[in-house]
Each structure stands twice: as C-alpha cells, then as structure tokens.
Amino acid sequence: MSDTATRTMVRMQGRKAYAAFGGRPSGTRHPLVATAMVLPLAALLVVVFGGWDAVVTQASSVAVMLGR
C-alpha cells in the first residue's frame, strides 16, 4: 500500500499517452457507430447463410433480451 502514489502516476502517464493518439480510454460507443460497424457483417452473414427468417428471429430475440 505504500507504493500506491507511484502506481497512480504510472497509470496516469499511460492514459495521457493513449489520449495523445486520439483514443478514448473509457466510455461507450455511440449507437449509430456501433450499428454502422455491425451492419456490414450482418449483411455478409445473411448472404452467406441465406435467409432473412433467421436474421429476423435472432434480431427479435436480442431485442426482447434487451427489453425493447
């Protein structure tokens, strides 16, 4: 416990270095960005495995699980 100040300083330096490159060390991604990331993969899976029924079933299951 006597070395907590040093560990805190090292952690803060790492965060500053990470922030210098434009990254965000914590937080959440905007829902539209997350959607834009997922849609190409979802479209590829629909084409590869075929069938909108499976996609709709899975999407509705996820929506129910999330409470929407």
Side-chain angles (χ1 to χ4, degrees):
M1 289 301 290
S2 63
D3 200 23
T4 57
T6 305
R7 286 186 292 187
T8 302
M9 293 286 289
V10 169
R11 267 191 260 143
M12 290 305 292
Q13 288 174 351
R15 288 181 185 162
K16 288 177 187 174
Y18 186 77
F21 290 106
R24 295 186 330 189
S26 64
T28 58
R29 183 176 286 123
H30 193 278
L32 290 177
V33 174
T35 303
M37 292 170 62
V38 169
L39 281 178
L41 178 62
L44 176 69
L45 291 174
V46 168
V47 170
V48 170
F49 293 107
W52 284 100
D53 295 332
V55 173
V56 170
T57 302
Q58 290 296 324
S60 65
S61 297
V62 170
V64 168
M65 186 172 52
L66 292 175
R68 300 197 179 212

